[in-house]
Amino acid sequence: MVTITISGADKSGALARISTLFVRKGYPLKGQQLTESASGTKLVRISLGLTQLDRAKLAAELKDLSPDFRVVSVEGAQSAPSLKEIAAQFPDIAPLVQTYGESFDSDTRDRELIEAGKKIGAFQYEKEWSFGSPLKMPVALQRILVPALETFGKVDATDTELTLPDSPFCGTGKIPCCEFLTGFMQGFLDAGPLTQNTRVQKTACRAKGDSRCAFEFSYDL
C-alpha cells in the first residue's frame, strides 16, 4: 500500500478532483481523506493498492490538474528493480518482475512489461543460446525457447503454440505480468538470426479466467 500526501487542497472540491484524477488514470484507489497540517493547511491523503509509484509522473499529472497541487510525501513505496537487477537474478525473477510491473499505472504497464521482457529475452539468448548453428522455426521453439522457459515452470508446446499451466508471472490476486513473457519470447526470437520474423501473441491468460496462459507464434518457413 502506498499513501500519498498532496498539498494545495484549500479550495472547495479539491478532494473530489484529485480522487477523480486517480480513478481516471487507472490508479488502484483504496482510500482518500481530507486532513490538515500543523499549520492548518488543507492536505489530501490518498491510499493506493501499489508497492511502487512513479512520483515524478504523478507530480506532473497533478500539476496538469492544478498548479496548486503538489506531492508532499509518498509513504510505503519501494523502489522498482532495474532491468540489470532483474537480468542478474534470472531465472528467479518473477517477484522482481511483479514489483517492476506494479511501478506502472494500468495505461502503460503492459507496454512497459513487453519492452522489459524483450530486453531480458534478447540478453538471455545472447548469453546462453547464441552458440552453435542458428536454428529456424519451429526447431528453435522446441530446442531453445522451450528449455529457456522451462526455468520458470512446466511448458507445453506445439510448433505454433506454447502454454504455461502455472505461469509465475500470473499470480492469483496480483497484477498480472504475463506481457513480460510475451516480450521475453519476442526478444529471445528477435535475437536469433533465423527467427527474427517470428511474431508472438498472447491468446489466453489465467488472470482473465482461462485455464492457462497461452501464446501463439506466426512465422514464414
Side-chain angles (χ1 to χ4, degrees), residues 109-186:
R109 183 177 299 117
D110 285 352
R111 182 170 66 251
E112 295 292 343
L113 284 168
I114 287 174
E115 291 305 312
K118 284 181 178 179
K119 293 175 182 178
I120 301 296
F123 176 77
Q124 283 302 313
Y125 175 86
E126 295 292 343
K127 180 183 177 183
E128 302 289 347
W129 303 95
S130 60
F131 307 102
S133 300
L135 300 174
K136 296 181 180 180
M137 291 291 284
V139 177
L141 188 156
Q142 299 289 350
R143 291 189 183 178
I144 58 175
L145 180 58
V146 167
L149 292 173
E150 283 178 335
T151 59
F152 301 135
K154 178 177 171 57
V155 177
D156 297 314
T158 67
D159 287 351
T160 58
E161 186 182 49
L162 184 147
T163 64
L164 292 92
D166 192 22
S167 169
F169 302 99
C170 192
T172 303
K174 298 180 180 179
I175 293 173
C177 296
C178 303
E179 292 299 356
F180 174 84
L181 272 185
T182 305
F184 180 91
M185 288 185 275
Q186 189 67 68

Coordinates of all heavy atoms in Angstrom, one line a residue, residues 109-186:
R109 N 1.4 -0.2 -18.2 CA 2.0 -1.4 -17.6 C 2.3 -2.4 -18.6 O 3.5 -2.9 -18.7 CB 1.1 -1.9 -16.5 CG 1.8 -3.1 -15.8 CD 0.9 -3.6 -14.7 NE 0.7 -2.6 -13.7 CZ -0.5 -2.1 -13.4 NH1 -1.5 -2.5 -14.0 NH2 -0.6 -1.2 -12.5
D110 N 1.4 -2.8 -19.5 CA 1.6 -3.9 -20.4 C 2.7 -3.5 -21.4 O 3.6 -4.4 -21.7 CB 0.3 -4.2 -21.2 CG -0.7 -5.0 -20.3 OD1 -0.3 -5.4 -19.2 OD2 -1.8 -5.2 -20.8
R111 N 2.7 -2.3 -21.9 CA 3.7 -1.9 -22.8 C 5.1 -1.9 -22.2 O 6.1 -2.4 -22.8 CB 3.4 -0.5 -23.3 CG 4.4 0.0 -24.4 CD 3.9 1.3 -25.0 NE 3.9 2.4 -24.1 CZ 2.8 3.0 -23.6 NH1 1.6 2.5 -24.0 NH2 2.8 4.0 -22.8
E112 N 5.2 -1.5 -21.0 CA 6.5 -1.4 -20.3 C 7.0 -2.9 -20.0 O 8.2 -3.1 -20.1 CB 6.4 -0.6 -19.0 CG 6.1 0.9 -19.2 CD 7.3 1.6 -19.9 OE1 8.4 1.1 -19.9 OE2 7.0 2.7 -20.4
L113 N 6.1 -3.7 -19.6 CA 6.4 -5.1 -19.4 C 6.9 -5.8 -20.6 O 7.9 -6.6 -20.6 CB 5.3 -5.9 -18.8 CG 5.0 -5.6 -17.3 CD1 3.6 -6.2 -16.9 CD2 6.1 -6.1 -16.4
I114 N 6.3 -5.6 -21.8 CA 6.7 -6.2 -23.0 C 8.1 -5.7 -23.4 O 9.0 -6.5 -23.8 CB 5.7 -5.8 -24.2 CG1 4.4 -6.6 -24.0 CG2 6.3 -6.1 -25.5 CD1 3.3 -6.2 -25.0
E115 N 8.4 -4.4 -23.3 CA 9.7 -3.9 -23.6 C 10.7 -4.4 -22.7 O 11.9 -4.7 -23.1 CB 9.7 -2.3 -23.5 CG 8.8 -1.7 -24.6 CD 9.3 -2.1 -26.0 OE1 10.5 -2.1 -26.3 OE2 8.4 -2.5 -26.8
A116 N 10.4 -4.5 -21.4 CA 11.4 -5.1 -20.4 C 11.6 -6.6 -20.8 O 12.8 -7.0 -20.8 CB 10.8 -5.0 -19.0
G117 N 10.6 -7.3 -21.1 CA 10.7 -8.7 -21.5 C 11.6 -8.9 -22.7 O 12.4 -9.8 -22.8
K118 N 11.4 -8.0 -23.7 CA 12.2 -8.1 -24.9 C 13.7 -8.0 -24.6 O 14.6 -8.7 -25.1 CB 11.8 -7.0 -25.9 CG 10.5 -7.2 -26.6 CD 10.2 -6.1 -27.6 CE 9.0 -6.3 -28.4 NZ 8.7 -5.2 -29.3
K119 N 14.0 -7.0 -23.7 CA 15.5 -6.8 -23.4 C 16.0 -8.0 -22.6 O 17.2 -8.4 -22.9 CB 15.6 -5.5 -22.6 CG 15.3 -4.3 -23.4 CD 15.3 -3.0 -22.6 CE 14.9 -1.8 -23.4 NZ 14.9 -0.6 -22.6
I120 N 15.3 -8.5 -21.7 CA 15.8 -9.7 -20.9 C 15.9 -10.9 -21.8 O 16.8 -11.7 -21.7 CB 14.9 -10.0 -19.7 CG1 14.8 -8.7 -18.8 CG2 15.3 -11.2 -18.9 CD1 16.1 -8.3 -18.1
G121 N 14.9 -11.1 -22.7 CA 14.9 -12.2 -23.6 C 16.1 -12.2 -24.5 O 16.7 -13.2 -24.8
A122 N 16.3 -11.0 -25.1 CA 17.5 -10.9 -26.0 C 18.8 -11.1 -25.3 O 19.7 -11.8 -25.8 CB 17.5 -9.5 -26.7
F123 N 18.9 -10.6 -24.1 CA 20.1 -10.8 -23.3 C 20.3 -12.3 -23.0 O 21.4 -12.8 -23.1 CB 20.0 -10.0 -22.0 CG 21.1 -10.2 -21.0 CD1 22.3 -9.6 -21.2 CD2 21.0 -11.1 -19.9 CE1 23.4 -9.8 -20.4 CE2 22.0 -11.3 -19.0 CZ 23.2 -10.6 -19.3
Q124 N 19.2 -13.0 -22.6 CA 19.4 -14.4 -22.3 C 19.8 -15.2 -23.5 O 20.6 -16.2 -23.4 CB 18.1 -15.0 -21.7 CG 17.9 -14.6 -20.2 CD 19.0 -15.1 -19.4 OE1 19.5 -16.2 -19.4 NE2 19.5 -14.2 -18.5
Y125 N 19.2 -14.9 -24.7 CA 19.6 -15.6 -25.9 C 21.1 -15.4 -26.2 O 21.8 -16.4 -26.4 CB 18.8 -15.1 -27.1 CG 19.2 -15.7 -28.4 CD1 18.7 -17.0 -28.8 CD2 20.2 -15.1 -29.2 CE1 19.2 -17.6 -30.0 CE2 20.7 -15.7 -30.4 CZ 20.1 -16.9 -30.8 OH 20.6 -17.5 -31.9
E126 N 21.6 -14.2 -26.1 CA 23.0 -13.9 -26.4 C 23.9 -14.6 -25.4 O 25.0 -15.1 -25.7 CB 23.2 -12.4 -26.4 CG 22.5 -11.7 -27.6 CD 23.0 -12.0 -28.9 OE1 24.2 -12.6 -29.0 OE2 22.3 -11.7 -29.9
K127 N 23.4 -14.6 -24.2 CA 24.3 -15.2 -23.1 C 24.3 -16.7 -23.1 O 25.4 -17.3 -22.9 CB 23.7 -14.7 -21.7 CG 24.5 -15.2 -20.5 CD 23.9 -14.7 -19.2 CE 24.6 -15.3 -18.0 NZ 24.0 -14.9 -16.8
E128 N 23.2 -17.4 -23.3 CA 23.1 -18.8 -23.1 C 22.9 -19.6 -24.4 O 23.2 -20.8 -24.4 CB 22.0 -19.1 -22.1 CG 22.1 -18.4 -20.8 CD 23.3 -19.0 -20.0 OE1 23.8 -20.1 -20.3 OE2 23.7 -18.4 -19.0
W129 N 22.3 -19.0 -25.5 CA 21.8 -19.8 -26.6 C 22.3 -19.4 -27.9 O 21.8 -20.0 -28.9 CB 20.2 -19.8 -26.6 CG 19.6 -20.2 -25.3 CD1 19.2 -19.5 -24.2 CD2 19.4 -21.6 -24.9 NE1 18.8 -20.3 -23.2 CE2 18.8 -21.6 -23.6 CE3 19.6 -22.8 -25.5 CZ2 18.5 -22.7 -22.9 CZ3 19.2 -24.0 -24.8 CH2 18.7 -23.9 -23.5
S130 N 23.2 -18.5 -28.0 CA 23.6 -18.0 -29.3 C 24.8 -18.8 -29.9 O 25.2 -18.5 -31.0 CB 24.0 -16.5 -29.2 OG 25.1 -16.4 -28.3
F131 N 25.3 -19.8 -29.2 CA 26.4 -20.6 -29.7 C 25.9 -21.7 -30.6 O 24.8 -22.2 -30.5 CB 27.2 -21.2 -28.5 CG 27.6 -20.1 -27.5 CD1 26.8 -20.0 -26.3 CD2 28.6 -19.3 -27.7 CE1 27.2 -19.1 -25.4 CE2 28.9 -18.3 -26.8 CZ 28.2 -18.2 -25.6
G132 N 26.8 -22.1 -31.6 CA 26.4 -23.1 -32.5 C 25.7 -22.6 -33.7 O 25.5 -21.4 -33.9
S133 N 25.2 -23.5 -34.5 CA 24.5 -23.1 -35.7 C 23.1 -22.5 -35.4 O 22.3 -23.1 -34.6 CB 24.3 -24.3 -36.7 OG 25.6 -24.8 -37.0
P134 N 22.7 -21.4 -36.0 CA 21.4 -20.8 -35.8 C 20.3 -21.7 -36.2 O 20.5 -22.5 -37.2 CB 21.4 -19.5 -36.6 CG 22.9 -19.2 -36.9 CD 23.6 -20.5 -36.9
L135 N 19.2 -21.7 -35.5 CA 18.1 -22.6 -35.8 C 16.9 -21.8 -36.4 O 16.7 -20.6 -36.0 CB 17.6 -23.3 -34.6 CG 18.7 -24.2 -33.9 CD1 18.1 -24.8 -32.6 CD2 19.1 -25.3 -34.8
K136 N 16.1 -22.4 -37.3 CA 14.9 -21.8 -37.8 C 13.7 -22.3 -36.9 O 13.8 -23.2 -36.2 CB 14.7 -22.2 -39.2 CG 15.7 -21.8 -40.2 CD 15.4 -22.3 -41.6 CE 16.4 -21.8 -42.6 NZ 16.1 -22.3 -44.0
M137 N 12.6 -21.6 -37.1 CA 11.3 -22.0 -36.5 C 10.8 -23.2 -37.4 O 11.0 -23.2 -38.6 CB 10.3 -20.9 -36.5 CG 10.7 -19.8 -35.6 SD 10.5 -20.3 -33.8 CE 8.7 -20.2 -33.6
P138 N 10.2 -24.2 -36.8 CA 9.8 -24.3 -35.4 C 10.9 -25.0 -34.5 O 10.6 -25.2 -33.3 CB 8.5 -25.1 -35.4 CG 8.7 -26.0 -36.6 CD 9.5 -25.2 -37.6
V139 N 12.0 -25.4 -35.2 CA 13.0 -26.1 -34.4 C 13.5 -25.3 -33.3 O 13.8 -25.8 -32.2 CB 14.2 -26.6 -35.3 CG1 15.3 -27.2 -34.5 CG2 13.6 -27.5 -36.4
A140 N 13.7 -24.0 -33.5 CA 14.2 -23.1 -32.5 C 13.3 -23.0 -31.3 O 13.7 -22.9 -30.2 CB 14.4 -21.7 -33.1
L141 N 12.0 -23.1 -31.6 CA 11.0 -23.0 -30.5 C 11.2 -24.2 -29.6 O 11.2 -24.1 -28.4 CB 9.6 -23.0 -31.1 CG 8.4 -22.8 -30.1 CD1 7.2 -22.2 -30.9 CD2 8.0 -24.0 -29.4
Q142 N 11.3 -25.4 -30.2 CA 11.3 -26.6 -29.4 C 12.7 -26.8 -28.7 O 12.8 -27.3 -27.6 CB 11.0 -27.8 -30.3 CG 9.7 -27.8 -31.0 CD 8.6 -28.1 -30.0 OE1 8.8 -28.5 -28.8 NE2 7.3 -27.9 -30.4
R143 N 13.8 -26.5 -29.4 CA 15.1 -26.8 -28.9 C 15.7 -25.8 -28.0 O 16.6 -26.1 -27.1 CB 16.0 -27.1 -30.1 CG 15.7 -28.4 -30.8 CD 16.8 -28.7 -31.8 NE 16.5 -29.9 -32.6 CZ 17.3 -30.3 -33.6 NH1 18.5 -29.7 -33.8 NH2 17.0 -31.4 -34.2
I144 N 15.4 -24.5 -28.1 CA 16.0 -23.5 -27.3 C 15.0 -22.6 -26.5 O 15.2 -22.3 -25.4 CB 17.0 -22.6 -28.1 CG1 16.2 -21.9 -29.3 CG2 18.1 -23.4 -28.6 CD1 17.2 -20.9 -30.0
L145 N 13.9 -22.2 -27.2 CA 13.0 -21.3 -26.4 C 12.3 -22.1 -25.3 O 12.2 -21.6 -24.2 CB 11.9 -20.7 -27.4 CG 10.9 -19.8 -26.7 CD1 11.6 -18.6 -26.0 CD2 9.9 -19.3 -27.7
V146 N 11.8 -23.3 -25.6 CA 11.1 -24.1 -24.6 C 12.0 -24.4 -23.4 O 11.7 -24.1 -22.2 CB 10.5 -25.4 -25.1 CG1 10.1 -26.3 -24.0 CG2 9.3 -25.1 -26.0
P147 N 13.3 -24.8 -23.6 CA 14.2 -25.0 -22.5 C 14.4 -23.8 -21.7 O 14.6 -23.8 -20.5 CB 15.5 -25.6 -23.1 CG 15.0 -26.2 -24.4 CD 13.9 -25.4 -24.9
A148 N 14.5 -22.6 -22.4 CA 14.7 -21.4 -21.7 C 13.6 -21.0 -20.8 O 13.7 -20.6 -19.6 CB 15.0 -20.2 -22.7
L149 N 12.3 -21.3 -21.3 CA 11.1 -21.0 -20.5 C 10.9 -22.0 -19.4 O 10.2 -21.7 -18.4 CB 9.9 -21.0 -21.4 CG 9.9 -19.8 -22.4 CD1 8.7 -20.0 -23.4 CD2 9.8 -18.5 -21.7
E150 N 11.4 -23.2 -19.5 CA 11.2 -24.3 -18.5 C 11.9 -23.9 -17.2 O 11.7 -24.6 -16.2 CB 11.7 -25.6 -19.0 CG 10.7 -26.2 -20.0 CD 11.1 -27.6 -20.6 OE1 12.4 -27.8 -20.6 OE2 10.3 -28.4 -21.0
T151 N 12.8 -22.9 -17.2 CA 13.4 -22.5 -16.0 C 12.3 -21.8 -15.1 O 12.5 -21.6 -13.9 CB 14.5 -21.5 -16.2 OG1 14.0 -20.4 -17.0 CG2 15.6 -22.2 -17.0
F152 N 11.2 -21.4 -15.7 CA 10.1 -20.8 -15.0 C 9.0 -21.8 -14.5 O 8.2 -21.4 -13.7 CB 9.4 -19.7 -15.8 CG 10.3 -18.6 -16.3 CD1 10.2 -18.2 -17.6 CD2 11.2 -18.0 -15.4 CE1 11.1 -17.1 -18.1 CE2 12.0 -16.9 -15.9 CZ 11.9 -16.5 -17.2
G153 N 9.0 -23.0 -15.1 CA 8.0 -23.9 -14.8 C 7.6 -24.8 -16.0 O 8.3 -24.8 -17.0
K154 N 6.6 -25.6 -15.8 CA 6.1 -26.5 -16.9 C 5.7 -25.7 -18.1 O 5.0 -24.7 -18.0 CB 5.0 -27.3 -16.3 CG 4.4 -28.3 -17.4 CD 3.3 -29.2 -16.8 CE 2.6 -30.0 -17.8 NZ 3.5 -30.9 -18.6
V155 N 6.1 -26.3 -19.3 CA 5.8 -25.7 -20.6 C 5.3 -26.8 -21.5 O 5.9 -27.8 -21.6 CB 7.0 -25.0 -21.2 CG1 6.7 -24.4 -22.6 CG2 7.5 -23.9 -20.3
D156 N 4.2 -26.5 -22.2 CA 3.7 -27.4 -23.2 C 3.7 -26.6 -24.5 O 3.3 -25.5 -24.6 CB 2.2 -27.8 -22.9 CG 2.1 -28.6 -21.7 OD1 2.9 -29.6 -21.5 OD2 1.2 -28.3 -20.8
A157 N 4.2 -27.3 -25.6 CA 4.4 -26.5 -26.8 C 4.1 -27.4 -28.1 O 4.5 -28.6 -28.1 CB 5.8 -25.9 -26.9
T158 N 3.5 -26.8 -29.1 CA 3.5 -27.4 -30.4 C 4.4 -26.5 -31.3 O 5.1 -25.7 -30.8 CB 2.0 -27.4 -30.9 OG1 1.6 -26.0 -31.1 CG2 1.1 -28.0 -30.0
D159 N 4.3 -26.7 -32.6 CA 5.1 -25.8 -33.5 C 4.6 -24.4 -33.6 O 5.3 -23.5 -34.1 CB 5.1 -26.5 -34.9 CG 6.0 -27.7 -34.9 OD1 6.7 -28.0 -33.9 OD2 6.0 -28.4 -35.9
T160 N 3.3 -24.1 -33.1 CA 2.7 -22.8 -33.3 C 2.2 -22.2 -32.0 O 1.7 -21.1 -32.0 CB 1.6 -22.8 -34.4 OG1 0.6 -23.8 -34.0 CG2 2.2 -23.2 -35.7
E161 N 2.1 -23.0 -30.9 CA 1.5 -22.5 -29.7 C 2.3 -23.0 -28.5 O 2.9 -24.1 -28.5 CB 0.1 -23.0 -29.5 CG -0.6 -22.4 -28.3 CD -2.0 -22.9 -28.2 OE1 -2.2 -24.1 -28.3 OE2 -2.9 -22.1 -28.0
L162 N 2.4 -22.2 -27.5 CA 3.1 -22.6 -26.2 C 2.2 -22.2 -25.0 O 1.6 -21.1 -25.0 CB 4.4 -21.8 -26.2 CG 5.3 -22.1 -25.0 CD1 6.8 -21.9 -25.5 CD2 5.1 -21.1 -23.8
T163 N 2.1 -23.1 -24.1 CA 1.2 -22.8 -22.9 C 2.0 -23.0 -21.6 O 2.9 -23.9 -21.6 CB 0.0 -23.7 -22.9 OG1 0.4 -25.1 -22.8 CG2 -0.8 -23.5 -24.2
L164 N 1.7 -22.3 -20.6 CA 2.2 -22.4 -19.3 C 1.0 -22.6 -18.3 O 0.3 -21.7 -18.1 CB 3.0 -21.2 -18.9 CG 4.3 -20.9 -19.6 CD1 4.1 -20.0 -20.8 CD2 5.4 -20.4 -18.7
P165 N 0.8 -23.8 -17.8 CA -0.3 -24.1 -16.9 C -0.3 -23.3 -15.6 O -1.3 -23.0 -15.0 CB -0.2 -25.6 -16.7 CG 0.6 -26.1 -17.8 CD 1.6 -25.0 -18.1
D166 N 0.9 -22.9 -15.2 CA 1.1 -22.3 -13.9 C 2.2 -21.2 -14.0 O 3.2 -21.3 -13.3 CB 1.4 -23.3 -12.8 CG 1.2 -22.7 -11.4 OD1 0.5 -21.7 -11.3 OD2 1.9 -23.2 -10.5
S167 N 2.0 -20.2 -14.8 CA 3.0 -19.2 -15.0 C 3.2 -18.4 -13.8 O 2.3 -17.9 -13.1 CB 2.5 -18.2 -16.1 OG 3.4 -17.1 -16.2
P168 N 4.5 -18.2 -13.3 CA 4.7 -17.4 -12.1 C 4.5 -15.9 -12.3 O 4.5 -15.2 -11.3 CB 6.2 -17.7 -11.9 CG 6.8 -18.0 -13.2 CD 5.7 -18.7 -13.9
F169 N 4.3 -15.5 -13.5 CA 4.0 -14.1 -13.8 C 2.5 -13.8 -13.8 O 2.1 -12.7 -14.1 CB 4.6 -13.7 -15.2 CG 6.1 -14.0 -15.2 CD1 6.6 -15.1 -15.8 CD2 7.0 -13.1 -14.6 CE1 8.0 -15.4 -15.9 CE2 8.4 -13.4 -14.7 CZ 8.9 -14.5 -15.3
C170 N 1.7 -14.8 -13.5 CA 0.3 -14.6 -13.5 C -0.3 -15.0 -12.2 O -1.2 -15.9 -12.1 CB -0.4 -15.4 -14.6 SG -2.1 -15.0 -15.0
G171 N 0.2 -14.5 -11.1 CA -0.2 -14.9 -9.7 C -1.6 -14.4 -9.4 O -2.0 -13.3 -9.7
T172 N -2.4 -15.3 -8.8 CA -3.8 -15.0 -8.4 C -3.8 -13.9 -7.4 O -3.0 -14.0 -6.4 CB -4.5 -16.3 -7.9 OG1 -4.4 -17.3 -8.8 CG2 -5.9 -15.9 -7.5
G173 N -4.6 -12.9 -7.6 CA -4.7 -11.8 -6.6 C -3.7 -10.8 -6.8 O -3.7 -9.8 -6.0
K174 N -2.8 -10.9 -7.8 CA -1.8 -9.9 -8.0 C -2.0 -9.3 -9.4 O -2.8 -9.8 -10.2 CB -0.4 -10.4 -7.9 CG -0.1 -11.0 -6.6 CD 1.3 -11.6 -6.6 CE 1.7 -12.1 -5.2 NZ 3.1 -12.7 -5.2
I175 N -1.3 -8.2 -9.7 CA -1.4 -7.6 -11.0 C -0.7 -8.6 -12.0 O 0.4 -8.9 -11.8 CB -0.7 -6.2 -11.0 CG1 -1.4 -5.2 -10.2 CG2 -0.5 -5.8 -12.5 CD1 -0.7 -3.9 -10.0
P176 N -1.4 -9.1 -13.0 CA -0.8 -10.0 -13.9 C 0.3 -9.3 -14.7 O 0.2 -8.2 -15.2 CB -2.0 -10.4 -14.9 CG -2.9 -9.3 -14.8 CD -2.8 -8.8 -13.4
C177 N 1.4 -10.1 -14.9 CA 2.6 -9.5 -15.6 C 2.9 -10.5 -16.8 O 4.1 -10.6 -17.1 CB 3.8 -9.4 -14.6 SG 3.5 -8.2 -13.3
C178 N 1.9 -11.1 -17.3 CA 2.2 -12.1 -18.4 C 2.8 -11.4 -19.7 O 3.5 -12.1 -20.4 CB 0.9 -12.7 -18.8 SG 0.0 -13.6 -17.5
E179 N 2.5 -10.1 -19.8 CA 3.1 -9.5 -21.0 C 4.6 -9.4 -21.0 O 5.2 -9.3 -22.0 CB 2.5 -8.1 -21.2 CG 1.0 -8.0 -21.5 CD 0.7 -8.7 -22.8 OE1 1.6 -9.2 -23.5 OE2 -0.5 -8.8 -23.1
F180 N 5.2 -9.6 -19.8 CA 6.6 -9.7 -19.7 C 7.1 -11.0 -20.5 O 8.1 -10.9 -21.2 CB 7.1 -9.9 -18.3 CG 8.6 -10.1 -18.1 CD1 9.5 -9.1 -18.1 CD2 9.0 -11.4 -18.0 CE1 10.8 -9.4 -18.0 CE2 10.4 -11.7 -17.9 CZ 11.3 -10.7 -17.9
L181 N 6.3 -12.1 -20.4 CA 6.6 -13.3 -21.1 C 6.5 -13.1 -22.6 O 7.2 -13.6 -23.4 CB 5.8 -14.5 -20.6 CG 6.3 -15.3 -19.5 CD1 5.3 -16.4 -19.2 CD2 7.7 -15.8 -19.7
T182 N 5.4 -12.4 -23.0 CA 5.2 -12.0 -24.4 C 6.5 -11.4 -25.0 O 7.0 -11.7 -26.0 CB 4.0 -11.1 -24.7 OG1 2.9 -11.7 -24.1 CG2 3.8 -10.9 -26.2
G183 N 6.9 -10.4 -24.2 CA 8.1 -9.6 -24.6 C 9.4 -10.5 -24.6 O 10.3 -10.4 -25.5
F184 N 9.5 -11.3 -23.5 CA 10.7 -12.2 -23.4 C 10.8 -13.1 -24.6 O 11.9 -13.2 -25.2 CB 10.5 -13.0 -22.1 CG 11.7 -14.0 -21.9 CD1 12.8 -13.5 -21.1 CD2 11.7 -15.2 -22.4 CE1 13.9 -14.4 -20.9 CE2 12.8 -16.1 -22.2 CZ 13.9 -15.7 -21.5
M185 N 9.7 -13.7 -25.0 CA 9.8 -14.7 -26.2 C 10.1 -13.9 -27.4 O 10.8 -14.4 -28.3 CB 8.5 -15.4 -26.3 CG 8.3 -16.5 -25.2 SD 6.9 -17.5 -25.3 CE 5.7 -16.5 -24.5
Q186 N 9.5 -12.7 -27.6 CA 9.7 -11.9 -28.8 C 11.1 -11.5 -28.9 O 11.8 -11.6 -29.9 CB 8.8 -10.7 -28.8 CG 8.8 -9.9 -30.1 CD 8.2 -10.7 -31.3 OE1 7.0 -11.0 -31.3 NE2 9.0 -11.1 -32.2

